[in-house]
């Protein structure tokens, strides 16, 4: 009798007693529908869902990320299918529960799950324990105009183990999102990146490798900011990162780029944030860091200077004799000039030489032991002769101007008064504060400059720019980088032009910083009708103080079609006032004067 009763209970008991059944799935799916969990901000963040124009959703993620057929556009279908795969079959549950750690963790909080329906993931737990991540930092890498993909800067994350203190922080891991570009370069690289032909993917690398890439190889300063995330939120972020393994999305340099995806990853950990949705046509890395600051998400600031910054400081501090000795060592491996110096001068020269060779090692991807060893021995024999190097820290990028700007001004061209209205979508010009940017550079994309002439009561498009770039790097005794410019746009009555030039730049110890650029230029106007090419020379003298910047320019152009030549001279002054700028600009072109005063917001 007792045996029959036990058998009856076993046969009639619902499968949910042991977990993993269709009944469990149906129960959990019913709860999810009743609670409308497919519209929960956390679920939408986990799926990287974005609102489309028709009030629906789409997610850019491709690969093996979604488990349902229409998961990329239907959050509810994806949620129900996720519940099915996680809790239906005990044989396949480990595959999905240990892959979709963040989804499973969230469902544990919002559904009344039976503990018997949950699987342990010891391998994942052991890996996360070894990682020991308790904090997350967002890292901003300064812009680099030598690479199209880095022109606006770059952001990535560092997950921090509290055991890694001070220099041991290099043992932390970096989380990066980048385009997989293969060996493409030049115009093909830029065009494919602009139109989303590259896949973008997340990756994790030891932080010291990211340091090596940015500060050593590319010479870019890094700024680190701790994110206001709890240890539990950090763990959830890591769990979601593991879910993204094998997934990718189309990478667009302008908008759906590193910073857009890094923001979305942060929002997974803190779903009440909605920063990523505020960026539409362009996502500028520095703007995303500023947006995080506005949401009180940043704690502290730490600067990691590049090897290039150290080298430039050491080289600048050398006198003429010391620089001559350094050149002899580098170019001729000769120390005759070095022997003529005092003991302290020798020490300074050797330290600067070793700093340069460190950069050379990274650039050439080879060790220079034979060159460095005798210099290291010589320096050691001199003993303590110099003070620790003090590199002047660059101004925080958080203090720089916004990437978009409005210009309102008044001026006079010849005898004609006008009012100026200009919009610049991005990024900065030679009179802008370049904190966190390539110094003494111009990077302007999509701008329109209008003028209203009061006497004739005409509103004219004075100039529209598709892109304008000026990249300058100073010539030193050891390096001769090229300065170059490119300008594509149109003048009044839709008269397109393409201007370009190349030359050299030189730094001078005036004010906070001063640079002179000399270029040969070609300016080509009226490309729709009869092209009017001009060739000539241009000089730019740029200086900057703490809150003031100046620009002096001179240009001579010779028309190859009509044989006529003319000159142009200009002067500009920009003064920071709170969050805006006041500018005074004057120009004399072909003997016609022009001046203007503007306020830039």
């Amino acid at each position: 009798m007792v045996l029959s009763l036990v058998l009856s209970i076993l046969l009639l008991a619902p499968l949910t007693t042991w977990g993993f059944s269709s009944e469990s799935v149906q129960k959990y799916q019913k709860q999810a529908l009743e609670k409308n969990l497919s519209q929960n901000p956390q679920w939408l963040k986990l799926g990287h869902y974005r609102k489309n124009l028709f009030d629906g959703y789409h997610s850019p993620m491709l690969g093996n990320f979604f488990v349902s057929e229409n998961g990329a556009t239907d959050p509810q279908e994806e949620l129900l299918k996720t519940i099915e795969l996680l809790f239906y079959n005990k044989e396949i549950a480990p595959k999905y529960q240990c892959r979709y750690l963040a989804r499973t963790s969230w469902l544990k909080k919002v559904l009344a799950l039976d503990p018997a329906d949950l699987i342990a993931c010891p391998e994942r737990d052991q890996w996360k324990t070894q990682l020991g991540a308790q904090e997350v930092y967002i890292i901003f890498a300064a812009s680099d105009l030598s690479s199209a993909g880095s022109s606006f800067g770059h952001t990535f994350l560092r997950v921090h183990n509290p055991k890694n203190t001070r220099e041991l922080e290099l043992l932390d891991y970096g989380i990066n999102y980048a385009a997989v570009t293969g060996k493409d370069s030049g115009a093909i690289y830029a065009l494919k990146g602009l139109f989303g032909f590259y896949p973008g993917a997340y990756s994790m690398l030891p932080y010291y490798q990211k340091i090596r890439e940015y500060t050593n190889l590319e010479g870019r300063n890094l700024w680190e900011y701790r994110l206001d995330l709890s240890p539990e939120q950090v763990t959830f972020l890591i769990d979601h990162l593991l879910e993204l393994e094998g997934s990718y999305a189309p990478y667009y340099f302008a908008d759906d780029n590193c910073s857009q995806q890094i923001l979305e990853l942060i929002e997974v950990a803190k779903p009440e944030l909605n920063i990523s949705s505020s960026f539409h046509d362009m996502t500028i890395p520095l703007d995303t860091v500023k947006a995080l600051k506005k949401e009180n998400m940043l704690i502290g600031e730490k600067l990691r200077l590049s090897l290039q910054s150290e080298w430039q400081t050491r080289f600048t501090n050398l006198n003429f004799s010391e620089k001559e000795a350094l050149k002899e060592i580098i170019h001729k491996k000769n120390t005759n000039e070095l022997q003529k110096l005092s003991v302290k001068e020798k020490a300074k020269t050797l330290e600067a030489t070793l700093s340069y060779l460190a950069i050379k090692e990274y650039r050439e991807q080879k060790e220079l032991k034979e060159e460095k060893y005798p210099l290291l021995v010589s320096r050691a024999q001199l003993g303590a002769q110099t003070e620790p190097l003090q590199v002047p820290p660059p101004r925080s990028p958080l203090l720089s101007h916004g990437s978009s700007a409005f210009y309102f001004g008044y001026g006079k061209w010849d005898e004609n008064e006008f009012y100026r209205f200009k919009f610049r979508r991005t990024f900065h010009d030679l009179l802008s504060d370049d904190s966190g940017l390539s110094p003494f550079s111009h990077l302007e994309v999509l701008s329109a400059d209008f003028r209203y002439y009061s006497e004739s009561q005409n509103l004219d498009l004075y100039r529209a720019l598709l892109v304008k770039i000026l990249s300058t790097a100073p010539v030193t005794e050891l390096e001769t980088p090229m300065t170059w410019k490119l300008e594509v746009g149109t003048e009044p009555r839709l008269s397109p032009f393409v201007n370009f030039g190349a030359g050299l730049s030189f730094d001078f110890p005036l004010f906070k910083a001063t640079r002179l650029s000399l270029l040969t230029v070609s300016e080509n106007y009226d490309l729709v009708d009869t092209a009017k090419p001009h060739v000539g020379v241009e000089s730019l003298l740029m200086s900057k103080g703490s809150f003031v910047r100046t620009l002096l320019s001179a240009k001579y152009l010779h028309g190859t079609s009509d044989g006529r030549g003319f000159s142009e001279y200009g002067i500009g002054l920009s003064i920071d006032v709170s969050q805006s700028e006041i500018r005074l600009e004057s120009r004399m072109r072909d003997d016609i004067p022009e001046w203007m005063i503007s306020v830039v917001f």
Side-chain angles (χ1 to χ4, degrees):
M1 178 68 180
V2 174
L3 179 60
S4 299
L5 179 61
V6 171
L7 289 173
S8 299
I9 293 173
L10 291 175
L11 290 171
L12 297 175
L15 290 175
T16 52
T17 304
W18 294 275
F20 298 102
S21 67
S22 59
E23 287 82 358
S24 294
V25 169
Q26 291 172 8
K27 180 176 68 173
Y28 299 150
Q29 288 178 337
K30 182 179 179 182
Q31 291 181 40
L33 292 172
E34 289 174 347
K35 295 182 177 182
N36 197 27
L37 292 182
S38 65
Q39 298 302 306
N40 186 289
Q42 182 68 85
W43 177 250
L44 296 175
K45 302 291 186 184
L46 281 169
H48 294 246
Y49 290 109
R50 305 168 185 174
K51 279 277 190 180
N52 61 30
L53 295 176
F54 306 102
D55 206 33
Y57 292 96
H58 77 282
S59 173
M61 303 309 299
L62 301 171
N64 59 4
F65 182 66
F66 293 105
V67 297
S68 64
E69 182 178 353
N70 300 307
T73 57
D74 191 335
Q76 180 171 293
E77 179 182 314
E78 181 69 9
L79 175 60
L80 297 179
K81 187 64 176 181
T82 296
I83 292 173
E84 176 187 335
L85 294 173
L86 292 179
F87 306 117
Y88 177 71
N89 188 313
K90 190 173 184 178
E91 299 300 321
I92 65 171
K95 172 184 175 182
Y96 290 100
Q97 288 193 24
C98 295
R99 160 74 192 278
Y100 293 100
L101 293 172
R103 297 190 189 190
T104 305
S105 175
W106 176 66
L107 290 172
K108 285 167 61 177
K109 295 179 180 180
V110 296
L111 297 179
L113 298 180
D114 188 331
D117 285 328
L118 298 172
I119 296 293
C121 302
E123 291 184 2
R124 294 289 200 185
D125 291 340
Q126 182 181 5
W127 180 84
K128 290 192 294 181
T129 300
Q130 292 176 345
L131 183 66
Q134 296 289 308
E135 299 173 346
V136 175
Y137 289 73
I138 186 166
I139 316 297
F140 172 70
S143 62
D144 177 18
L145 285 180
S146 65
S147 169
S150 304
S151 298
F152 298 103
H154 181 66
T155 54
F156 62 100
L157 301 179
R158 170 168 69 90
V159 290
H160 177 55
N161 184 335
K163 295 180 180 179
N164 297 335
T165 58
R166 296 186 178 181
E167 292 306 315
L168 290 179
E169 290 177 349
L170 298 179
L171 299 178
D172 287 340
Y173 272 78
I175 299 175
N176 193 44
Y177 183 84
V180 183
T181 62
K183 297 181 179 180
D184 290 344
S185 61
I188 295 297
Y189 168 77
L191 288 172
K192 292 177 72 173
L194 285 172
F195 294 101
F197 286 99
Y198 290 125
Y202 289 96
S203 62
M204 286 190 73
L205 290 171
Y207 188 51
Y208 66 83
Q209 290 189 22
K210 303 303 293 180
I211 293 289
R212 178 177 178 273
E213 176 184 354
Y214 289 108
T215 67
N216 298 348
L217 281 175
E218 298 181 5
R220 300 162 68 179
N221 294 327
L222 300 180
W223 282 266
E224 303 179 352
Y225 305 91
R226 183 161 71 88
L227 293 172
D228 185 19
L229 297 175
S230 67
E232 293 74 21
Q233 290 171 324
V234 173
T235 298
F236 195 78
L237 184 150
I238 298 298
D239 286 346
H240 180 61
L241 185 67
L242 293 173
E243 294 180 343
L244 292 164
E245 185 177 356
S247 304
Y248 61 94
Y251 191 100
Y252 296 85
F253 286 163
D255 51 4
D256 213 343
N257 53 23
C258 61
S259 295
Q260 178 71 28
Q261 289 291 339
I262 289 296
L263 275 183
E264 293 188 5
L265 190 60
I266 294 170
E267 290 175 347
V268 166
K270 206 160 188 172
E272 59 267 31
L273 294 175
N274 285 297
I275 302 174
S276 63
S277 61
S278 65
F279 293 92
H280 304 291
D281 58 324
M282 286 189 179
T283 306
I284 307 298
L286 182 51
D287 286 351
T288 65
V289 180
K290 290 179 179 179
L292 287 166
K293 180 186 179 183
K294 189 176 180 180
E295 295 291 333
N296 298 314
M297 281 293 295
L298 303 185
I299 302 174
E301 180 181 76
K302 180 179 179 180
L303 169 65
R304 288 186 183 272
L305 289 165
S306 66
L307 284 182
Q308 188 74 20
S309 296
E310 177 188 334
W311 148 247
Q312 288 176 346
T313 301
R314 290 190 184 279
F315 185 78
T316 301
N317 291 341
L318 298 180
N319 60 35
F320 178 79
S321 299
E322 292 165 348
K323 290 179 179 178
E324 288 299 308
L326 184 148
K327 287 193 292 183
E328 287 286 313
I329 297 172
I330 297 297
H331 293 312
K332 300 180 181 179
K333 298 181 175 56
N334 189 323
T335 59
N336 291 338
E337 292 294 326
L338 185 69
Q339 305 310 318
K340 301 176 183 178
L341 304 177
S342 67
V343 174
K344 185 174 182 178
E345 288 176 332
K346 289 179 182 178
K348 287 174 59 182
T349 303
L350 288 169
E351 289 171 0
T353 305
L354 289 166
S355 178
Y356 175 77
L357 291 176
I359 295 176
K360 188 177 179 181
E361 279 186 319
Y362 281 108
R363 288 179 176 174
E364 297 182 0
Q365 297 290 288
K366 67 178 182 180
E367 295 185 355
L368 302 174
K369 292 181 179 179
E370 293 184 1
E371 294 182 48
K372 291 173 62 177
Y373 180 73
L375 301 177
L376 288 166
V377 171
S378 297
R379 177 63 190 90
Q381 291 173 344
L382 296 176
Q385 297 293 333
T386 58
E387 299 294 328
L389 181 68
Q390 298 294 323
V391 180
R395 193 163 176 251
S396 169
L398 294 179
L399 301 176
S400 66
H401 61 84
S403 61
S404 297
F406 292 92
Y407 300 63
F408 299 95
Y410 169 80
K412 181 178 284 189
W413 177 77
D414 201 4
E415 296 298 324
N416 301 301
E417 296 181 348
F418 64 85
Y419 295 90
R420 181 199 197 187
F421 310 94
K422 178 180 176 181
F423 172 71
R424 184 191 73 219
R425 177 59 189 89
T426 187
F427 191 30
H428 63 98
D429 56 39
L430 290 177
L431 287 175
S432 301
D433 178 11
D434 57 15
S435 301
L437 313 173
S438 296
F440 297 113
S441 64
H442 188 135
L443 179 56
E444 187 171 349
V445 179
L446 298 178
S447 68
D449 194 349
F450 294 91
R451 292 186 177 184
Y452 176 78
Y453 292 91
S454 53
E455 183 175 344
S456 62
Q457 297 184 344
N458 284 331
L459 178 65
D460 291 334
L461 173 64
Y462 174 70
R463 172 168 287 199
L465 287 174
L466 176 63
V467 63
K468 182 176 181 178
I469 304 174
L470 172 67
S471 175
T472 70
V475 171
T476 69
E477 281 81 349
L478 300 177
E479 298 176 305
T480 309
M482 183 178 70
T483 290
W484 60 274
K485 65 177 291 186
L486 172 67
E487 187 176 12
V488 181
T490 183
E491 291 194 325
R493 301 175 189 86
L494 298 179
S495 176
F497 61 85
V498 175
N499 304 332
F500 52 89
L504 301 173
S505 296
F506 307 87
D507 280 354
F508 296 92
L510 300 174
F511 305 105
K512 184 178 179 181
T514 298
R515 182 169 297 173
L516 172 66
S517 296
L518 303 173
L519 304 98
T520 57
V521 295
S522 173
E523 299 193 357
N524 305 275
Y525 299 94
D526 296 330
L527 296 182
V528 171
D529 298 321
T530 303
K532 298 177 181 178
H534 292 74
V535 295
V537 293
E538 181 178 14
S539 64
L540 301 166
L541 181 62
M542 304 158 282
S543 296
K544 59 182 178 181
S546 298
F547 304 100
V548 178
R549 293 162 297 280
T550 63
L551 170 65
L552 299 176
S553 64
K555 178 165 53 178
Y556 175 79
L557 294 172
H558 177 78
T560 58
S561 58
D562 57 14
R564 179 175 172 271
F566 63 90
S567 301
E568 179 181 315
Y569 307 96
I571 182 171
L573 170 68
S574 177
I575 304 172
D576 293 336
V577 179
S578 186
Q579 298 299 312
S580 59
E581 301 173 43
I582 295 178
R583 294 189 178 186
L584 297 171
E585 299 170 84
S586 179
R587 185 176 69 160
M588 176 73 75
R589 180 183 174 94
D590 203 14
D591 296 327
I592 299 177
E594 175 182 304
W595 64 267
M596 178 168 49
I597 180 170
S598 303
V599 179
V600 184
F601 297 95

